[in-house]
Amino acid sequence: MPTETAPLQVALGGADKAIVWYRARLGSTAYEGWYEKAARTAWGCPPKYPSAIAHWNRSGPKHTTGTPPQGAFVFWNISKFGHIGIADGRGGFYATGVHGRIGHATGVRYYRNYLGWIPGGCA
């Protein structure tokens, strides 16, 4: 896990604004290693969980099937810290770590070990 703090840039909130936050940063490496922070920042939320896997483990309701709705948090168990992105509502997602930078993937199977999704927001 990174040891320095990435700058906190807060969006106003809402699924549309979370997507706009990621789209405005496509190609950026500023949040590499800060997956959880990027996803919550996109929603306009302060930091709450130490990692994406902690967010998944402590939140709900959890959904492991179906297409995640736009703005939902989507999770993978790809390391001890996990990984998180924001659903685009069409089966894909935005996240850091897509080809080494903030990007868009057309399916949640882009990473192995897909866990599922939970509603987006600051809860």
Side-chain angles (χ1 to χ4, degrees):
M1 182 148 214
T3 57
E4 58 185 73
T5 304
L8 181 63
Q9 298 174 355
V10 179
L12 296 175
D16 289 338
K17 292 189 183 205
I19 300 279
V20 166
W21 186 92
Y22 273 100
R23 284 183 181 161
R25 290 159 180 79
L26 287 173
S28 172
T29 58
Y31 282 83
E32 282 308 297
W34 296 97
Y35 317 122
E36 172 69 16
K37 186 172 194 167
R40 288 189 58 85
T41 298
W43 264 94
C45 306
K48 182 175 181 178
Y49 303 101
S51 67
I53 203 70
H55 188 167
W56 172 257
N57 288 335
R58 297 177 192 165
S59 298
K62 293 176 177 69
H63 305 273
T64 58
T65 61
T67 301
Q70 183 178 357
F73 292 120
V74 289
F75 296 87
W76 296 266
N77 186 12
I78 62 171
S79 73
K80 68 180 181 176
F81 303 111
H83 196 71
I84 185 174
I86 301 287
D88 66 9
R90 299 180 316 273
F93 66 93
Y94 292 90
T96 60
V98 177
H99 301 295
R101 56 198 70 246
I102 291 177
H104 179 262
T106 58
V108 295
R109 302 289 177 202
Y110 176 84
Y111 299 112
R112 285 184 255 165
N113 302 318
Y114 175 65
L115 293 170
W117 62 272
I118 63 170
C122 294

